[in-house]
Amino acid sequence: MKTLTVFTPTYNRAYCLNKCYESLINQSNQDFKWLIIDDGSTDDTESLVNSWIQENKIDIQYHYQNNLGMHGGHNAAYRLVETPLNVCIDSDDAMG
């Protein structure tokens, strides 16, 4: 089991989600799972995330739900997190 869940609520952010992905695969410590909460996207988010899952560079969990807004994305993440620690990284942010 991983120690940390990095969760990212997203809605139609396929155009910028790769910035977050690239920063996560470049982390020296890989003791985390990336939980992507897709809040009803109608763009290419699902297929993009599935391509990353196939690459298998980091542990990714994808969750799709009908659009509930930012709070709905956070609530879904808190229901799904199974690690002792968690942090939210927005879809247009990156980890240093």
Side-chain angles (χ1 to χ4, degrees), residues 6 9 14-16 39 49 51 62 78 84 92-93 96:
V6 175
Y15 71 93
C16 66
D39 195 39
V49 172
S51 74
Y62 176 77
Y78 294 131
D92 61 347
D93 287 341

Short mmCIF file of all heavy atoms in Angstrom, two decimals, residues 6 9 14-16 39 49 51 62 78 84 92-93 96:
data_model
loop_
_atom_site.label_atom_id
_atom_site.label_comp_id
_atom_site.label_asym_id
_atom_site.label_seq_id
_atom_site.Cartn_x
_atom_site.Cartn_y
_atom_site.Cartn_z
N VAL A 6 -2.20 11.50 -4.03
CA VAL A 6 -2.28 12.82 -4.64
C VAL A 6 -3.56 12.79 -5.45
O VAL A 6 -3.70 11.98 -6.36
CB VAL A 6 -1.07 13.08 -5.57
CG1 VAL A 6 -1.24 14.42 -6.28
CG2 VAL A 6 0.23 13.03 -4.79
N PRO A 9 -9.00 16.78 -8.76
CA PRO A 9 -10.31 16.94 -9.37
C PRO A 9 -10.14 17.64 -10.72
O PRO A 9 -9.35 18.58 -10.83
CB PRO A 9 -11.08 17.83 -8.39
CG PRO A 9 -10.23 17.92 -7.16
CD PRO A 9 -8.84 17.63 -7.59
N ALA A 14 -8.13 18.20 -20.16
CA ALA A 14 -7.17 17.36 -20.90
C ALA A 14 -6.05 18.20 -21.50
O ALA A 14 -4.92 17.74 -21.61
CB ALA A 14 -7.88 16.57 -21.99
N TYR A 15 -6.34 19.43 -21.83
CA TYR A 15 -5.35 20.31 -22.47
C TYR A 15 -4.21 20.71 -21.53
O TYR A 15 -3.14 21.12 -21.99
CB TYR A 15 -6.01 21.56 -23.04
CG TYR A 15 -6.50 22.53 -21.99
CD1 TYR A 15 -5.69 23.58 -21.55
CD2 TYR A 15 -7.76 22.40 -21.43
CE1 TYR A 15 -6.13 24.47 -20.58
CE2 TYR A 15 -8.21 23.28 -20.46
CZ TYR A 15 -7.39 24.31 -20.05
OH TYR A 15 -7.83 25.18 -19.08
N CYS A 16 -4.40 20.59 -20.21
CA CYS A 16 -3.34 21.02 -19.30
C CYS A 16 -2.97 19.97 -18.26
O CYS A 16 -1.99 20.15 -17.53
CB CYS A 16 -3.73 22.32 -18.60
SG CYS A 16 -5.13 22.18 -17.48
N ASP A 39 -14.78 14.97 -13.10
CA ASP A 39 -16.08 15.48 -12.69
C ASP A 39 -16.97 15.77 -13.89
O ASP A 39 -17.45 16.88 -14.08
CB ASP A 39 -15.89 16.73 -11.83
CG ASP A 39 -17.13 17.12 -11.06
OD1 ASP A 39 -17.83 16.21 -10.58
OD2 ASP A 39 -17.41 18.33 -10.94
N VAL A 49 -6.02 9.87 -19.76
CA VAL A 49 -5.66 9.20 -18.52
C VAL A 49 -5.46 7.70 -18.76
O VAL A 49 -4.51 7.11 -18.24
CB VAL A 49 -6.71 9.46 -17.42
CG1 VAL A 49 -6.44 8.60 -16.19
CG2 VAL A 49 -6.74 10.94 -17.04
N SER A 51 -4.36 6.31 -21.40
CA SER A 51 -3.06 6.13 -22.06
C SER A 51 -1.93 6.18 -21.03
O SER A 51 -0.95 5.44 -21.13
CB SER A 51 -2.84 7.17 -23.16
OG SER A 51 -2.57 8.45 -22.64
N TYR A 62 -8.35 6.16 -11.75
CA TYR A 62 -9.25 7.09 -12.44
C TYR A 62 -10.67 6.86 -11.97
O TYR A 62 -11.13 5.71 -11.91
CB TYR A 62 -9.15 6.87 -13.95
CG TYR A 62 -10.10 7.70 -14.77
CD1 TYR A 62 -9.85 9.04 -15.00
CD2 TYR A 62 -11.23 7.13 -15.32
CE1 TYR A 62 -10.72 9.81 -15.76
CE2 TYR A 62 -12.11 7.89 -16.09
CZ TYR A 62 -11.85 9.23 -16.30
OH TYR A 62 -12.71 9.99 -17.06
N TYR A 78 -12.19 12.00 -1.03
CA TYR A 78 -12.11 11.60 0.37
C TYR A 78 -12.80 10.26 0.61
O TYR A 78 -12.39 9.51 1.50
CB TYR A 78 -12.69 12.68 1.29
CG TYR A 78 -11.85 13.95 1.27
CD1 TYR A 78 -12.44 15.18 1.08
CD2 TYR A 78 -10.47 13.89 1.41
CE1 TYR A 78 -11.67 16.34 1.04
CE2 TYR A 78 -9.69 15.05 1.38
CZ TYR A 78 -10.30 16.26 1.20
OH TYR A 78 -9.55 17.39 1.15
N PRO A 84 -2.79 6.69 4.32
CA PRO A 84 -2.82 7.51 5.53
C PRO A 84 -2.72 9.02 5.27
O PRO A 84 -3.20 9.82 6.05
CB PRO A 84 -1.62 7.04 6.35
CG PRO A 84 -0.91 6.00 5.56
CD PRO A 84 -1.66 5.77 4.30
N ASP A 92 -4.14 22.06 -13.20
CA ASP A 92 -3.20 22.91 -13.92
C ASP A 92 -1.95 23.22 -13.10
O ASP A 92 -1.18 24.10 -13.44
CB ASP A 92 -3.87 24.20 -14.36
CG ASP A 92 -4.41 25.04 -13.21
OD1 ASP A 92 -4.48 24.52 -12.07
OD2 ASP A 92 -4.76 26.20 -13.43
N ASP A 93 -1.73 22.47 -12.02
CA ASP A 93 -0.55 22.67 -11.17
C ASP A 93 0.47 21.56 -11.40
O ASP A 93 0.19 20.56 -12.04
CB ASP A 93 -0.94 22.69 -9.69
CG ASP A 93 -1.65 23.98 -9.31
OD1 ASP A 93 -1.51 24.98 -10.05
OD2 ASP A 93 -2.33 23.98 -8.28
N GLY A 96 6.95 20.27 -7.63
CA GLY A 96 8.35 20.60 -7.85
C GLY A 96 9.29 19.51 -7.43
O GLY A 96 8.97 18.49 -6.95
#
